């Protein structure tokens, strides 16, 4: 017994079993319902795009870490999450190489050029989406949106474009039910509000995310789009704004991205409010029909500053100053 | 009975079932005790015996030096065989008195009942407590007499007994409340009298229903003592969190419980006070929970101070397999030991042995900014930032982020999915900030 080797590390001596890979795996699990819906509505194209994006994301991460002689961390599942989210932001009509380029950009530039996991100040999938949108606008918008189940070549307007009544856009607004289920045009992962909400509830249940960012973001959009309706104040079509476009995907899965959102409770509230206000402003008055991506990216940039000025009141602080 | 809690905190696995139903058992008398002259927070004692002296059980052998200090007494009768530095559970060598027991436990003649509580003045109670060497037995080991002597300008109106025992594995306080409820209440009444306070509170976590029942019975219909059933959550037993749960008051940043009008004492301490008054026995023994996956027969033992860990572990059947880690105290705030030869001290609430797998310290990975450490911090700190600044030697920034308010509860390290060394790095920051403050003076 004298040759016993005792570890003398510092307290605490027990730790929660949850590690980064368990969290990221939970995110992947939460994305499964939307993934299944995407295949149901958009067919093989959705499957191919997602597979390409995930494989390239994981491969790029492994390659970069190998080249930089860093430990390879692909089994933490974070690259898988980025791949899935990127694919979810692509229209079904996008060619496979768009997924490939987007994934390389997300992992190599947005994630690793800034130091890897936890260091990127923008959501990699969203930054990649913005990059793709700027580089191949026609491959990423209208022309590439297909009506689910329809013939591939038939491009259609998204519900938000219809709602906005943009020039040259014709078509019937889909019913709230198909909007909720996801049987509408849009990027492959964003259309089914139902599937995204189920996954979001799972994330909340597993405490991967807290209620603050998604509920305040969604709530702000609901309130603002109701107030500033098309037919005057307080006439907005709230359900349309909630279930159409990328709001659910953005609010539950992208605005909550750890690296690029604030960690303080008050900071998260301000950040979510900001996302909601910008999204509503773009949708109501901006040049684009959709504002989710840009609002999150803009608030990502502000996140470090928000954190800095929203340090929580610590236990015992007020009375010390009194 | 009221239900109360605080903000933040975590729910670790408790593992209390190893020992929560095991009755307190007197451990075998040790053949030799090692009594370090530092068994409390504050200035160490000075030995007042020398090698070769014959001492009796309960005889004072260490004289306190300084206000924040508490005397140390012989826990056996016998002969002093050494007064020399010995390994202390905190990892240093500390001047210690080593006594070879004669097996007789001859009681020192000063040890006699001190009269009933009604007849004792507050000053007398304070003196008895001070002379008996009573310190906070929850593990913090703050000399009790000092807590009973607040400066006159601090108005104390609440005495809170801490029966939360929120550390996983430990059941010493639990068993004390079940088996010695009368003395717990007696000790509280002595504290109330010493501080001239009306209202006493006893906070117990709601996973110890038998303890709540027993204490309730002991309190009877005394309207001045209120029992609080506390939400089972770590660190419910931390002083500041307990005060908040019971009184709704916050101890000011940088302040002490008395700044919130409260004095907190552990339930074991209350029993030690009862013993000091009723029998006149100084603190020479304490309850230690010996537990963990590699201890053959986990127990709650009444152990003489100074008994080497090894003897205690042997009495619990020894190790079932190779231990990976030996901890004094609980798994959240306890101190890892290099050696099983160190002695039980006044602050030894538990001896916890974990197996090699449990002892494994996982390698940290980069912070993913998940904010979990922020959500669990009971003080509302931003552990990820304090830690990052500390690791970059930016101690000024760490101070701006209130590093000094950290109570080192370990909740942030516990929850961090990236296994970041949050508490150790915050400790470094605290040390550096305090050192700089001292220099500046
Ligand atoms: S819990 Fe760990 S990984 Fe999460 S923010 Fe805190 S330090 Fe970073
Ligand atoms: S920062 Fe300090 S007080 Fe806060 S959880 Fe960590 S150890 Fe506890």
């Amino acid at each position: 017994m004298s040759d016993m080797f005792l570890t003398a590390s510092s307290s605490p001596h027990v730790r929660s079993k949850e590690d980064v890979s368990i969290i990221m795996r939970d995110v992947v699990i939460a994305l499964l319902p939307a993934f299944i819906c995407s295949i149901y509505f958009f067919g093989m194209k959705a499957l191919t795009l997602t597979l390409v994006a995930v494989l390239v994301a994981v491969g790029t991460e492994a390659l970069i870490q190998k080249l930089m002689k860093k430990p390879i961390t692909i089994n933490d599942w974070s690259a898988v999450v980025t791949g899935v989210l990127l694919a979810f932001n692509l229209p079904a009509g996008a060619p496979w190489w768009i997924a490939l380029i987007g994934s390389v950009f997300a992992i190599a530039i947005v994630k690793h050029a800034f130091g890897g996991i936890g260091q990127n100040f923008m959501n990699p999938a969203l930054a990649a989406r913005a990059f793709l949108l700027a580089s191949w606008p026609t491959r990423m918008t209208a022309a590439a949106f297909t009506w689910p189940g329809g013939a591939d070549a038939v491009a259609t307007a998204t519900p938000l474009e219809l709602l906005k009544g943009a020039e040259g856009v014709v078509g019937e607004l889909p019913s709230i039910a198909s909007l909720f289920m996801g049987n509408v045009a849009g990027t492959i992962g964003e259309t089914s509000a139902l599937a995204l909400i189920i996954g979001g509830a799972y994330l909340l249940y597993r405490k991967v995310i807290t209620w603050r960012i998604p509920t305040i973001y969604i709530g702000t959009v609901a309130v603002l789009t109701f107030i500033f309706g098309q037919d005057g104040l307080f006439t907005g079509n709230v359900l349309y704004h909630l279930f159409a476009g990328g709001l659910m995907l953005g609010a539950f899965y992208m605005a909550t991205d750890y690296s690029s959102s604030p960690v303080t409770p008050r900071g998260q509230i301000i950040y979510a409010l900001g996302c909601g206000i910008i999204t509503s402003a773009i949708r109501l008055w901006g040049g684009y029909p959709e504002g989710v991506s840009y609002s999150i990216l803009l608030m990502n940039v502000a996140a470090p500053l928000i954190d800095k000025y929203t340090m929580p009141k610590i236990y015992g602080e007020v009375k010390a100053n009194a | 009975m009221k239900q109360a809690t605080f903000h933040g905190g975590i729910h670790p696995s408790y593992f209390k079932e190893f020992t929560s139903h095991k009755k307190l058992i007197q451990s075998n008398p040790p053949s030799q005790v090692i009594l370090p002259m530092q068994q409390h927070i504050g200035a160490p004692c000075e030995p007042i015996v020398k090698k070769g002296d014959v001492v009796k059980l309960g005889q004072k052998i260490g004289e306190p030096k300084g206000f924040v200090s508490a005397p140390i007494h012989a826990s056996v009768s016998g002969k002093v065989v050494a007064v020399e530095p010995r390994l202390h559970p905190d990892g240093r060598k500390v001047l210690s008195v080593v006594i070879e027991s004669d097996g007789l436990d001859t009681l020192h003649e000063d040890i006699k009942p001190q009269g009933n509580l009604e007849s004792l003045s507050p000053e007398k109670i304070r003196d008895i407590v001070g002379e008996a060497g009573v310190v906070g037995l929850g593990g913090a080991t703050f000399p009790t007499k000092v807590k009973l002597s607040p400066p006159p300008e601090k108005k104390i109106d609440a005495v809170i007994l801490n029966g939360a025992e929120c550390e996983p594995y430990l059941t010493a306080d639990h068993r004390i409340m079940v088996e010695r409820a009368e003395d717990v209440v007696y000790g509280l009444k002595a504290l109330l009298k010493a501080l001239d306070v009306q209202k006493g509170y006893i906070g117990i976590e709601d996973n110890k229903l038998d303890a709540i029942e027993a204490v309730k019975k002991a309190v009877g219909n005394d309207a001045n003592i209120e029992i609080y059933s506390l939400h089972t959550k770590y660190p419910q037993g931390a002083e500041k969190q307990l005060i908040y749960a019971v009184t709704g008051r916050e101890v000011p940043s940088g302040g002490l419980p008395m700044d919130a009008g409260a004095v907190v004492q552990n339930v074991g301490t209350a029993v030690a006070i009862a013993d000091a008054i009723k029998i006149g026995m100084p603190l020479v023994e304490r309850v230690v929970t010996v537990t963990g996956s590699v201890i053959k027969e986990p127990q709650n033992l009444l152990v003489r101070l100074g008994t080497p860990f090894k003897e205690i572990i042997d009495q619990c059947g020894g190790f079932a397999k190779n231990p990976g880690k030996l901890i004094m105290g609980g798994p959240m705030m306890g101190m890892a030991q290099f050696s099983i030869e160190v002695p039980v001290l006044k602050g030894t609430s538990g001896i916890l042995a974990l197996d090699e797998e449990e002892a494994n310290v996982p390698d940290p990975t980069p912070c993913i900014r998940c904010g979990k450490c922020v959500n669990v911090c009971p003080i509302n700190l931003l552990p990820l930032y304090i830690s990052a600044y500390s690791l970059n030697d930016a101690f000024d920034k760490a101070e701006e982020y209130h590093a000094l308010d950290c109570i080192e509860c370990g909740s942030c390290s516990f929850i961090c999915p990236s296994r970041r060394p949050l508490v150790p790095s915050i400790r470094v920051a605290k040390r550096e900030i305090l050192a700089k403050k001292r220099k500046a003076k």
Side-chain angles (χ1 to χ4, degrees), chain A residues 147-159:
Chain A
W147 192 263
D152 285 16
V154 183
T156 31
T158 63

Side-chain angles (χ1 to χ4, degrees), chain B residues 216-264:
Chain B
K216 230 196 228 167
K217 221 171 115 208
V219 170
N221 45 20
D222 189 330
N224 286 330
I225 297 179
E226 220 172 305
I227 299 173
Y228 273 77
S229 149
L230 305 169
H231 196 69
T232 298
K233 181 165 76 168
Y234 179 86
Q236 183 65 75
E239 252 179 8
K240 292 178 175 183
Q241 277 53 52
L242 185 62
I243 292 172
Y244 182 77
V246 172
T247 67
R249 298 180 206 153
E250 291 186 17
V251 178
S253 166
L256 293 170
M258 62 178 162
D259 295 310
V263 163
V264 179

Side-chain angles (χ1 to χ4, degrees), chain A residues 1-24 73 76 78 115-121 203 206-210 212 256-265 268 303-321, chain B residues 12 168-169 240-241 243-244 248-253 319 322-327 330-340 354 358-359 361-362 365-372 374-375 378-382 384-385 397 400-402 405 410 413-421 423-424 427:
Chain A
M1 197 158 315
S2 52
D3 58 352
M4 203 163 54
F5 175 74
L6 294 172
T7 312
S9 60
S10 128
S11 66
H13 307 288
V14 286
R15 284 169 174 273
S16 145
K17 291 201 170 46
E18 190 180 75
D19 63 10
V20 178
S21 67
I22 292 177
I23 293 178
M24 293 301 162
T73 58
D76 72 9
S78 66
I117 192 165
Q119 306 286 316
N120 45 285
F121 67 96
L203 292 182
R206 295 280 298 153
K207 298 206 168 92
V208 171
I209 59 173
T210 58
R212 292 183 207 107
T256 53
D257 172 41
Y258 290 151
S259 313
S260 52
S261 64
V263 296
T264 68
Q268 291 181 342
L305 209 66
I306 296 176
D307 250 357
K308 193 168 167 192
Y309 290 106
T310 53
M311 224 194 288
K313 177 188 103 60
I314 65 162
Y315 173 104
E317 192 169 32
V318 160
K319 282 174 198 161
N321 300 337
Chain B
Y169 289 97
K240 292 178 175 183
Q241 277 53 52
I243 292 172
Y244 182 77
R249 298 180 206 153
E250 291 186 17
V251 178
S253 166
F319 294 119
N322 244 3
K325 204 183 234 187
L326 187 68
I327 297 156
M332 292 303 297
M333 295 186 79
M335 211 179 279
Q337 301 297 313
F338 300 97
S339 157
I340 60 170
L354 300 177
E358 292 164 319
V361 189
T365 54
C367 168
I368 57 169
R369 291 178 46 87
C370 66
K372 286 176 189 276
V374 177
N375 288 330
I379 307 294
N380 273 336
L381 303 176
L382 302 176
L384 74 159
Y385 288 117
K397 288 296 265 180
E400 260 174 56
Y401 279 74
H402 305 286
D405 285 275
S413 281
F414 174 87
I415 208 78
C416 177
S418 295
R419 312 314 189 201
R420 306 288 309 153
V423 184
R427 265 191 214 120

